[in-house]
């Protein structure tokens, strides 16, 4: 019995798909790269932008003929398109889909496959235990022993309610996972060969706020740092308001916690930030960047920006442009605003920046950031840095620096999972090239 999983969207969805794969492997299924060969197809969807939603519907309709040819095929629609409440409308629209699952929950699929209504509750519990608690998490067979970097969701859902964001409606309110579950999942992943773990949450730095008895994120990082065999830990996405000095100092002082912070600003203008309901000002974000740079040596900082939010004037956009030019952050993930049904901005604010103007603003920021990233990367030239190697891509080994920069190295040796010193010989805005400093290490 074979399964095929299609994943669209954020790292949280990637992690959710891994969990579904793990649950299916426990039931004796094996993964296949071909949907035509599969007995179970899981479509793990994203709706954060309209284009992602359109893509999901496109892929779903392409499955219809397959289902007609092979009626025993089980199609599972999962993720944000379904949302936390499920959707009767979706069920009517997609009659050939067998199972609808909310984000992060393989339960309905496993219950369907095991076919016992009476067992459904039990199964849900079992699947949850497989995925979260047992310390027995299984990766898909194809990834076992090969996966170098894995995700662990630690905060599910979000309660912040940024006006543009659909996540709270689809993933529900914020829930921190118990630290014991997270640590046992980390131990299980490391036992299977994983070297790097990225902790995930919509506002990851709020970890534990809903459970005062849990450690803070800094406390959790301290415990993860102590795991033998684990080389690197990252966490994302942070919200500017919750980045305590305790957290920054944990990143600076714990050797396995990588100096890379993902902390979106979304806009560089106070009025736009207010209408997005972000909860901070541009000056507060500037102060945070200064604090990050003062407390964490060589920190790299990534941000997210939405251009063309409701009512964003040309002048307000210029403020974002100037801020980005001034702060010179390592990475800017750019998006053009797209109204998501049900959100505050879609209901109450006019999507009044024309599409062509959104594109224009997007391209200007893209060009600006390309220059900044090129400048930052050039500082690595002729320097040595450590790289964790993940896989070979077209004859070159791909890995990342502690600051999350992409590095390629040509080598005939098997570098997978190794952390090696690399001398950087070329840099560009998106990646770097180098050679392993010590050829003896490279072979061992
Ligand atoms: N929870 C995080 C936050 O906002 O701080 C990030 C998660 S969200 C899945 C990733 C990014 O998508 C956001 O940071 C934002 O820039 C972008 N995004 C979210 N909603 C959007 C929308 N309606 N239109 C365009 N971009 C959007």
């Amino acid at each position: 019995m074979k399964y095929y999983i299609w994943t669209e969207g954020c790292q949280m969805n990637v992690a959710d798909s891994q969990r579904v794969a793990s649950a299916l492997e426990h039931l004796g299924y094996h993964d296949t790269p071909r949907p035509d060969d599969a007995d179970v197809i899981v479509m793990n969807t994203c709706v954060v932008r309209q284009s992602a939603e359109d893509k999901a519907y496109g892929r779903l309709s392409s499955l219809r003929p397959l289902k007609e040819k092979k009626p025993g095929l089980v199609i599972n629609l999962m993720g944000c398109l379904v949302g936390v409440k499920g959707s009767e409308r979706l069920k009517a629209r997609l009659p050939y889909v067998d199972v609808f699952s909310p984000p992060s929950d393989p339960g309905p699929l496993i219950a369907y496959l095991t076919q016992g209504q009476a067992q459904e509750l039990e199964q849900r519990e079992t699947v949850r235990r497989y995925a979260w608690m047992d310390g027995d998490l299984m990766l898909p067979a194809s990834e076992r022993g090969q996966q170098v970097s894995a995700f662990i969701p630690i905060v599910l859902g979000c309660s912040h309610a940024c006006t543009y964001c659909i996540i709270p409606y689809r993933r529900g309110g914020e829930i921190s996972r118990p630290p014991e579950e997270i640590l046992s999942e980390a131990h299980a992943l490391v036992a299977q060969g994983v070297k790097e773990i990225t902790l995930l949450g919509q506002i990851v730095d709020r970890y534990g706020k809903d459970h005062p008895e849990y450690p803070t994120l800094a406390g959790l990082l301290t415990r993860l740092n102590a795991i033998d065999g684990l080389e690197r830990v990252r966490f994302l996405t942070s919200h500017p308001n919750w980045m305590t000095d305790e957290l920054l100092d944990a990143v600076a002082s714990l050797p396995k916690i990588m100096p890379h912070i993902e902390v979106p600003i979304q806009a560089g203008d106070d009025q736009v930030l207010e209408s997005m309901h972000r909860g901070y000002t541009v000056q507060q974000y500037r102060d945070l960047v200064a604090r990050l740079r003062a407390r964490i040596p060589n920190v790299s900082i990534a941000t997210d920006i939405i251009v063309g939010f409701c009512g964003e004037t040309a002048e307000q956009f210029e403020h974002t442009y100037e801020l980005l030019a001034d702060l010179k952050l390592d990475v800017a993930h750019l998006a053009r605003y797209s109204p998501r049904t049900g959100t505050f901005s879609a209901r109450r604010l006019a999507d009044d920046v024309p599409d062509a103007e959104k594109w224009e603003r997007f391209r200007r920021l893209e060009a600006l950031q390309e220059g900044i990233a090129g400048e930052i990367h050039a500082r690595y030239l002729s320097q040595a840095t450590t790289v964790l190697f993940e896989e070979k891509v077209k004859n070159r080994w791909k890995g990342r620096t502690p600051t999350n920069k992409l590095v390629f190295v040509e080598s005939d040796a098997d570098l997978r999972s190794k952390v090696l010193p690399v001398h950087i010989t070329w840099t560009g805005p998106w990646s770097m090239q180098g050679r392993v400093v010590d050829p003896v290490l490279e072979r061992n």
Side-chain angles (χ1 to χ4, degrees):
M1 299 290 273
K2 294 181 186 151
Y3 67 88
Y4 170 83
I5 302 185
W6 178 78
T7 309
E8 177 71 17
C10 62
Q11 292 91 340
M12 192 69 91
N13 271 11
V14 175
D16 288 349
S17 289
Q18 266 174 17
R19 197 160 311 107
V20 175
S22 170
L24 288 170
E25 298 268 335
H26 273 279
L27 289 183
Y29 286 80
H30 298 287
D31 64 327
T32 170
R34 290 170 42 84
D36 304 27
D37 288 346
D39 303 287
V40 177
I41 295 181
V42 181
M43 308 288 291
N44 193 0
T45 55
C46 168
V47 292
V48 89
R49 304 200 191 126
Q50 187 64 45
S51 57
E53 189 167 332
D54 294 345
K55 209 154 135 194
Y57 279 118
R59 288 294 299 249
L60 276 164
S61 59
S62 75
L63 292 181
R64 193 173 195 146
L66 202 60
K67 177 82 177 178
E68 278 161 10
K69 216 167 65 187
K70 197 171 157 186
L73 171 68
V74 175
I75 300 180
N76 172 211
L77 178 61
M78 183 180 180
C80 293
L81 196 58
V82 178
V84 279
K85 295 193 180 100
S87 163
E88 289 311 312
R89 217 159 42 92
L90 263 183
K91 287 179 186 167
R93 179 172 176 178
L94 303 165
Y96 53 98
V97 171
D98 301 284
V99 191
F100 294 82
S101 317
S104 307
D105 191 359
L109 175 63
I110 302 309
Y112 185 90
L113 292 175
T114 50
Q115 292 292 330
Q117 284 267 314
Q119 289 177 329
E120 184 170 342
L121 251 173
E122 196 97 48
Q123 286 293 350
R124 274 174 183 262
E125 286 307 314
T126 309
V127 170
R128 260 184 222 289
R129 185 163 47 77
Y130 287 157
W132 308 104
M133 286 164 64
D134 264 4
D136 189 24
L137 182 79
M138 280 175 72
L139 295 173
S142 61
E143 289 177 23
R144 224 168 284 152
Q146 292 196 31
Q147 203 189 22
V148 176
S149 185
F151 296 119
I152 301 184
I154 66 165
V155 184
L156 309 176
C158 183
S159 302
H160 188 86
C162 300
T163 52
Y164 53 81
C165 189
I166 199 164
I167 299 284
Y169 302 92
R170 295 301 171 112
R171 289 190 170 267
E174 176 182 270
I175 303 172
S176 300
R177 292 180 60 205
E180 301 75 34
E181 281 185 19
I182 296 164
L183 289 163
S184 71
E185 203 167 314
H187 277 286
L189 287 165
V190 170
Q192 289 172 67
V194 165
K195 300 288 181 206
E196 176 180 78
I197 284 173
T198 302
L199 307 176
L200 299 177
Q202 298 298 335
I203 301 188
V204 73
D205 44 341
R206 275 188 53 83
Y207 177 74
K209 292 275 179 259
D210 52 331
H211 280 275
E213 72 280 17
Y214 289 0
T216 58
L217 179 56
L220 190 65
L221 291 173
T222 306
R223 289 163 74 175
L224 286 159
N225 186 70
I227 295 179
D228 280 343
L230 181 58
E231 301 274 359
R232 292 180 168 187
V233 180
R234 302 180 187 276
F235 58 91
L236 57 97
T237 301
S238 296
H239 184 287
N241 289 9
W242 305 99
M243 302 222 67
T244 58
D245 283 347
E246 184 205 20
L247 176 59
L248 272 47
D249 292 346
V251 177
S253 62
L254 298 169
K256 293 182 185 174
I257 315 304
M258 295 295 104
H260 175 71
I261 304 291
E262 300 254 351
V263 61
I265 181 157
Q266 309 298 5
D269 179 90
D270 284 342
Q271 269 174 326
V272 178
L273 285 175
E274 202 177 317
S275 75
M276 288 177 163
H277 191 230
R278 288 290 293 175
Y280 51 81
T281 62
V282 173
Q283 188 54 49
Q284 283 166 333
Y285 190 87
R286 281 181 177 279
D287 294 345
L288 171 65
V289 169
R291 203 153 55 86
L292 283 166
R293 288 179 169 158
R295 287 192 178 253
I296 307 173
N298 300 319
V299 68
S300 82
I301 303 174
T303 198
D304 293 4
I305 290 178
I306 299 175
V307 297
F309 186 62
C310 311
E312 184 188 68
T313 63
E315 193 188 348
Q316 287 170 334
F317 168 74
E318 287 311 317
H319 294 157
T320 301
Y321 186 95
E322 283 157 19
L323 182 80
L324 209 55
D326 192 30
L327 289 181
K328 291 188 189 297
L329 304 178
D330 295 73
V331 177
H333 306 292
L334 307 175
R336 296 172 310 286
Y337 171 65
S338 77
R340 309 307 297 124
T341 308
T343 57
F344 181 88
S345 64
R347 283 183 282 121
R348 302 283 186 84
L349 307 174
D351 177 21
D352 52 3
V353 178
D355 210 36
E357 181 61 29
K358 284 181 187 166
W359 272 110
E360 173 65 23
R361 293 178 190 181
F362 180 93
R363 290 203 188 96
R364 278 192 62 207
L365 289 190
E366 196 175 43
L368 170 67
Q369 187 57 36
E370 190 170 328
I372 293 170
E375 264 175 47
I376 294 174
H377 291 181
R379 289 184 216 138
Y380 286 72
L381 197 60
S382 306
Q383 306 290 317
T385 180
T386 49
V387 173
L388 168 60
F389 288 98
E390 293 163 14
E391 58 177 342
K392 207 165 192 178
V393 182
K394 291 189 185 151
N395 280 339
R396 293 190 304 169
W397 282 96
K398 172 189 144 229
R400 287 192 182 269
T401 66
T403 47
N404 213 37
K405 312 287 182 196
L406 196 52
V407 177
F408 291 99
V409 163
E410 277 182 36
S411 172
D412 296 331
D414 183 1
L415 302 188
R416 187 188 303 278
S417 297
K418 290 185 179 168
V419 181
L420 295 172
V422 168
H423 179 84
I424 300 298
T425 53
W426 177 89
T427 66
W430 309 114
S431 70
M432 310 178 189
Q433 282 172 31
R435 59 180 157 70
V436 175
V437 172
D438 185 343
V440 177
L441 286 175
E442 192 176 351
R443 310 262 149 209
N444 290 333

